[in-house]
Amino acid sequence: MGKGKLAKFADMETYENVFQYPYSVVEHVPFEMKGHWHEQYFKNENPIVLELGCGKGEYTVELAKLYPQMNFIGNWRSSIHR
């Protein structure tokens, strides 16, 4: 694991809008909002934009301010394992 990675995971746990699962369980834990982001989380029908590799999401947050008619989801990990 990279230097400071555990600290980053711990820091991300402090944000209320972060959903985080360890790679060891991600395929075995059902994600309740899968396919239901509009009604369960955003509570609207606006288009969803996914930003991959967003870090802490500063750029994503600024995009959301510029485009309030869209919903943004940021993935801070630069790669997704399958």
Side-chain angles (χ1 to χ4, degrees):
M1 189 167 294
K3 182 178 180 181
K5 191 66 90 170
L6 292 178
K8 288 180 184 178
F9 288 138
D11 181 50
M12 293 305 287
E13 285 289 332
T14 67
Y15 295 89
E16 69 177 271
N17 293 314
V18 171
F19 305 94
Q20 182 169 263
Y21 294 99
Y23 286 132
S24 60
V25 300
V26 76
E27 290 183 7
H28 308 290
V29 175
F31 187 67
E32 301 80 27
M33 276 192 286
K34 182 178 180 180
H36 303 284
W37 283 93
H38 286 109
E39 63 267 16
Q40 291 183 10
Y41 188 75
F42 293 114
K43 311 274 193 253
N44 64 47
E45 290 297 320
N46 296 346
I48 295 174
V49 176
L50 173 63
E51 182 184 2
L52 300 175
C54 73
K56 287 190 175 185
E58 294 94 344
Y59 185 74
T60 309
V61 169
E62 292 303 316
L63 281 174
K65 290 177 185 176
L66 286 173
Y67 302 98
Q69 72 279 12
M70 310 204 47
N71 297 316
F72 288 85
I73 298 173
N75 176 296
W76 75 278
R77 294 180 179 149
S78 59
S79 63
I80 298 174
H81 298 264
R82 293 209 178 232

